[in-house]
Amino acid sequence: MLKLNSELRAVSRTTLSGNWVMAALATLVYLLIAGGVSSIPVAGSVLAIIITYPLAYGFAILFLDLFREGKPIDIGKLFDGFKDFGRVWGTLILVAIYTILWTCLLIIPGIVKSYSYALTPFILKDEPELKYNAAIEKSMRMMDGYKMKLFLLDLSFIGWMILSILTLGIGLLFLQPYMNTARAAFYEDLKAELSDRYVSEEENNN
């Protein structure tokens, strides 16, 4: 059975214990690079499209590895997406395109689809043979029936979001690691849940 949102947040805080400073530093580096590239005149938008997606992958994977291994944060992992650039960039640009197209129809379908695609970076990490639509479709299958669960998990950080606004964005340096670690915990929990269900179904069929 999936953990409650409060349990996912608790295990995320435990994971980040002793790592908050490095997590905030990694977030600062991520935001500075992403923001800095997009602010470059003329070429900025092109560079942002090229750089942002592998960087976003690395930012997600950094906290997945932290959750799994509990080792000190290695900021160098932010750039892991560039080691497999074609697969990572190609898949995540498709996620962005699909989300934009759904959002152009109506805002709500766009939000729903964004949650369907939410696990794609983790799947790219765990299943290197998958890419493009195959990785996206795997995320959609895993999230079938669980999109609201992840939405409510994100929504449970509303207090931190308000704090980030009140601190002129400084709180974001701690909110992003907290939310990313919670999403990693959600992914690991969901994987275990679906694996147990598959085993149970196999036993029943036999």
Side-chain angles (χ1 to χ4, degrees):
M1 185 174 179
L2 288 177
K3 292 183 177 68
L4 299 173
N5 288 340
S6 58
E7 294 174 315
L8 292 172
R9 292 196 307 272
V11 74
S12 299
R13 290 193 300 272
T14 299
T15 298
L16 285 163
S17 178
N19 289 287
W20 283 106
V21 173
M22 287 302 296
L25 181 59
T27 303
L28 179 62
V29 171
Y30 169 70
L31 294 176
L32 286 176
I33 294 175
V37 167
S38 61
S39 66
I40 297 174
V42 184
S45 57
V46 175
L47 286 174
I49 291 173
I50 294 172
I51 292 174
T52 298
Y53 298 108
L55 196 64
Y57 167 85
F59 192 58
I61 296 312
L62 186 152
F63 293 101
L64 177 64
D65 286 346
L66 175 65
F67 180 76
R68 287 175 170 173
E69 301 168 5
K71 297 178 181 177
I73 289 176
D74 176 8
I75 294 180
K77 288 185 177 181
L78 274 176
F79 307 101
D80 278 3
F82 295 95
K83 297 176 182 178
D84 192 6
F85 180 84
R87 188 174 72 98
V88 170
W89 185 87
T91 304
L92 296 187
I93 194 70
L94 280 177
V95 167
I97 291 170
Y98 294 155
T99 303
I100 290 170
L101 290 175
W102 278 104
T103 304
C104 286
L105 293 176
L106 283 172
I107 297 297
I108 299 301
I111 294 173
V112 171
K113 282 298 179 179
S114 72
Y115 278 90
S116 292
Y117 309 146
L119 303 184
T120 304
F122 301 137
I123 292 166
L124 287 174
K125 163 73 173 180
D126 285 346
E127 303 189 45
E129 73 280 4
L130 294 184
K131 59 183 177 179
Y132 313 142
N133 282 327
I136 295 170
E137 289 166 1
K138 175 69 179 288
S139 176
M140 292 173 66
R141 288 194 301 272
M142 290 182 67
M143 288 299 291
D144 185 24
Y146 296 97
K147 292 184 285 292
M148 181 57 72
K149 169 74 173 175
L150 183 55
F151 173 75
L152 292 175
L153 175 61
D154 286 346
L155 192 62
S156 71
F157 290 95
I158 186 67
W160 279 71
M161 295 174 191
I162 294 172
L163 181 62
S164 295
I165 295 171
L166 294 177
T167 58
L168 303 179
I170 294 175
L172 191 65
L173 299 180
F174 300 93
L175 172 60
Q176 283 294 333
Y178 193 6
M179 291 187 69
N180 275 30
T181 306
R183 279 197 166 206
F186 171 87
Y187 170 67
E188 293 289 84
D189 202 30
L190 180 57
K191 271 203 318 177
E193 168 81 6
L194 295 177
S195 177
D196 289 345
R197 181 190 301 176
Y198 175 78
V199 170
S200 178
E201 289 175 352
E202 285 290 302
E203 290 175 349
N204 292 334
N205 290 335
N206 292 332

